[in-house]
Amino acid sequence: MTDKRKQDRFARWGKTREKGMARYVIENGVLSWGLVMCFVFTVLQSRGIVHYRGDRTDVTAVFLSNLKLWLIAGAFYGIATWYALESAYKKHLQSPFTDKKS
């Protein structure tokens, strides 16, 4: 990664971290990642249910089950990415070659 791209990346992260961990986890983990995964897996599983059994009532149960699972998984994903990005940011700030304005 070029120095300019790295500086831009860490400048963006500096702004993101000011908003707080809870907001990051909700926006990037639960809503962005968790809901997308919920819908993807619901569609994939529902196609099998409707195709093989012809029963559309199970689709609601699959959706609710996936919603619980992927919202929780999204929270864990958000927490994990927060700590990974925070660790990289702190290493960046401690680097002797870093412009401390980030």
Side-chain angles (χ1 to χ4, degrees):
M1 186 179 307
T2 65
D3 286 340
K4 175 69 173 135
R5 284 185 60 197
K6 196 180 257 189
Q7 291 292 339
D8 290 346
R9 176 179 157 213
F10 288 119
R12 281 193 317 272
W13 177 248
K15 292 176 185 173
T16 299
R17 72 192 296 263
E18 289 174 0
K19 296 175 186 175
M21 181 181 178
R23 183 171 174 175
Y24 177 84
V25 169
I26 291 169
E27 288 179 356
N28 295 291
V30 175
L31 297 177
S32 295
W33 192 78
L35 283 180
V36 169
M37 295 301 289
C38 172
F39 288 118
V40 167
F41 276 85
T42 298
V43 167
L44 292 174
Q45 292 171 333
S46 298
R47 288 180 52 134
I49 291 170
V50 172
H51 178 71
Y52 292 112
R53 289 192 260 166
D55 185 8
R56 293 192 182 275
T57 58
D58 285 345
V59 174
T60 303
V62 167
F63 173 74
L64 293 175
S65 174
N66 279 331
L67 186 63
K68 288 185 277 186
L69 170 71
W70 290 109
L71 291 182
I72 292 168
F76 283 113
Y77 175 79
I79 291 167
T81 57
W82 170 273
Y83 282 113
L85 291 168
E86 188 68 10
S87 174
Y89 182 74
K90 287 179 180 176
K91 285 180 187 175
H92 169 73
L93 290 179
Q94 293 172 353
S95 171
F97 304 108
T98 300
D99 177 20
K100 303 297 186 207
K101 294 178 186 174
S102 296

